[in-house]
Amino acid sequence: MLNWLLGSTTSGADIYVDLGTANTLIVGRGRGLILNEPSEVMVSDIDPKKRKILGLGLEGREILKKNPGHIIVIKPIKDGVIADFDATRVMLKTFLSKAIKKISLSRPKVVVSLPYGITDVEKRAVTEACRSAGASKTFLIDEPMAAALGAGLPVKGATGQMIIDIGGGSTEIAVIALADIVFCEPLRLGGHKFDEIIVRYLKETKKLIVTDQQAEFLKLKLATALPKKNIITETIQGRDLDTGFQKTETISSEDIGMALSDSIQQIIHGILNALENTPPELVSDIIDSGITLAGGGALIKELCAKIESEVRIPVRLAENPLTAIAIGGEMVLSDPELLEKIQIEL
């Protein structure tokens, strides 16, 4: 079905790409991580009709620091989907070309993980970008499958497994069995949305204006799924909404927990919906084997305990939640049989 595009997987693949909302990670077979850069494209705003790309990723951030005027930062991947096809093509081609040059590999086979349910147009945009960067063949796989592999779940077995990947732009709740995604509940909710919610919450409840970076700091330090438990605080300086002057405010984990409570409840509703849409025999497996959390959002304190109390199923955190997708992608590179089974078809 995809022979003209993907070809045979008998010899495995050489490079894995995790095209994330926040960062793009590239891993080489037997070489580990070879690139980790922000998924950002910096363009000139002088003439919007003729968008001129000034830089990408880390290089683009350096350009922005030196000359912030007349530069727009584009984030091609938004809420777990490709929001800007042209910027995505350029970014992926540039990053992949850089990675190929680093490892001195001619015409590599490339695996790219993408959010579940991606459209055919998005698939073609990614495969075309890989081809133009020098890939001889491109294989596409679902992010939840990569996360499950990286979390150590036995995806090839007949026993049902549930993985919840809380990334920067989206949360994907997937049930996997026999190397196939039986059901997936994608939510447009992730780390960046959490930051926005914290900014809005502090503005509304404390009349304090903070930046997205400050909100991320508070999230990392104070975010909790049980706001009343083990309360800790951080002092932060922001701008007073009424006066416009700088002011210092003490923010508690209870504040941040309350800010994120609705979002966490959405994830719990998503889990319950996924269980309702999963065959009963696989639900029984999940009750026995438990639920696994991965992604940066999985590091919210007491999240496992909160989900357990609501869905009455054991919940565990993946050993390396931040890099589970990249670890899973690297595993696929040396397992052509598994890649054959899990690749996405157009």
Side-chain angles (χ1 to χ4, degrees):
M1 197 173 294
L2 265 185
N3 289 338
W4 64 274
L5 182 63
L6 300 178
S8 170
T9 64
T10 53
S11 61
D14 307 297
I15 289 177
Y16 165 72
V17 181
D18 173 16
L19 197 61
T21 299
N23 288 74
T24 295
L25 279 67
I26 300 183
V27 174
R29 181 172 55 174
R31 299 172 185 262
L33 187 66
I34 53 179
L35 183 142
N36 181 3
E37 299 213 20
S39 300
E40 297 173 352
V41 178
M42 286 66 176
V43 301
S44 171
D45 71 346
I46 295 173
D47 186 353
K49 292 179 182 178
K50 296 179 181 178
R51 194 166 69 175
K52 182 182 178 183
I53 294 176
L54 303 174
L56 303 94
L58 294 173
E59 180 187 302
R61 284 192 175 180
E62 287 301 314
I63 292 170
L64 184 63
K65 280 181 191 175
K66 293 174 183 175
N67 184 24
H70 303 298
I71 293 179
I72 296 173
V73 180
I74 295 173
K75 297 191 176 183
I77 316 296
K78 188 174 176 61
D79 296 336
V81 298
I82 297 176
D84 189 315
F85 288 99
D86 292 334
T88 299
R89 279 195 201 96
V90 173
M91 183 182 76
L92 180 54
K93 180 181 176 181
T94 303
F95 288 162
L96 193 51
S97 297
K98 190 184 291 188
I100 291 171
K101 188 176 179 181
K102 271 187 181 182
I103 60 176
S104 302
L105 197 62
S106 176
R107 305 290 292 165
K109 294 176 183 177
V110 178
V111 177
V112 185
S113 65
L114 297 169
Y116 182 83
I118 196 166
T119 67
D120 285 348
V121 174
E122 290 171 309
K123 292 174 194 174
R124 289 192 183 97
V126 170
T127 52
E128 286 168 14
C130 290
R131 183 186 296 162
S132 62
S136 61
K137 295 183 179 70
T138 302
F139 309 96
L140 307 179
I141 64 173
D142 288 306
E143 282 182 358
M145 184 66 76
L149 283 164
L153 299 185
V155 301
K156 294 180 184 179
T159 303
Q161 307 287 335
M162 178 177 278
I163 182 77
I164 302 172
D165 177 35
I166 309 173
S170 62
T171 294
E172 294 177 310
I173 303 161
V175 176
I176 296 172
L178 296 172
D180 185 36
I181 295 178
V182 179
F183 182 83
C184 185
E185 177 84 357
L187 305 174
R188 290 199 173 186
L189 188 69
H192 294 316
K193 188 69 71 176
F194 297 157
D195 296 341
E196 292 172 14
I197 289 167
I198 290 169
V199 169
R200 188 166 61 247
Y201 181 87
L202 294 179
K203 187 177 180 181
E204 292 173 354
T205 62
K206 296 186 178 293
K207 295 192 174 182
L208 181 70
I209 300 173
V210 298
T211 65
D212 288 342
Q213 290 75 20
Q214 288 175 307
E216 183 182 24
F217 168 79
L218 291 171
K219 175 186 69 181
L220 295 174
K221 291 286 186 178
L222 303 177
T224 176
L226 297 175
K228 303 290 184 182
K229 184 178 177 182
N230 300 327
I231 297 172
I232 57 174
T233 62
E234 285 286 341
T235 301
I236 197 161
Q237 192 173 69
R239 196 155 48 84
D240 189 287
L241 180 63
D242 293 330
T243 66
F245 294 127
Q246 291 289 316
K247 75 171 182 176
T248 300
E249 190 83 32
T250 298
I251 309 298
S252 71
S253 54
E254 184 176 11
D255 293 322
I256 303 304
M258 292 302 295
L260 298 179
S261 60
D262 286 347
S263 298
I264 290 169
Q265 209 58 47
Q266 282 184 54
I267 292 172
I268 290 168
H269 287 320
I271 296 168
L272 294 172
N273 186 56
L275 291 169
E276 285 176 11
N277 286 276
T278 298
E281 62 274 17
L282 296 185
V283 173
S284 296
D285 292 339
I286 294 166
I287 291 170
D288 292 337
S289 61
I291 297 169
T292 303
L293 302 186
L299 295 173
I300 292 174
K301 295 178 186 70
E302 305 293 349
L303 185 57
C304 290
K306 174 68 172 176
I307 295 172
E308 274 190 12
S309 69
E310 296 273 349
V311 302
R312 305 296 178 185
I313 295 175
V315 181
R316 74 174 184 95
L317 187 64
E319 187 176 342
N320 299 289
L322 285 169
T323 55
I325 290 180
I327 293 169
E330 187 173 12
M331 292 168 65
V332 170
L333 294 179
S334 55
D335 191 339
E337 183 185 339
L338 178 61
L339 180 54
E340 190 78 46
K341 287 180 180 178
I342 68 173
Q343 64 176 297
I344 305 170
E345 294 188 351
L346 283 172

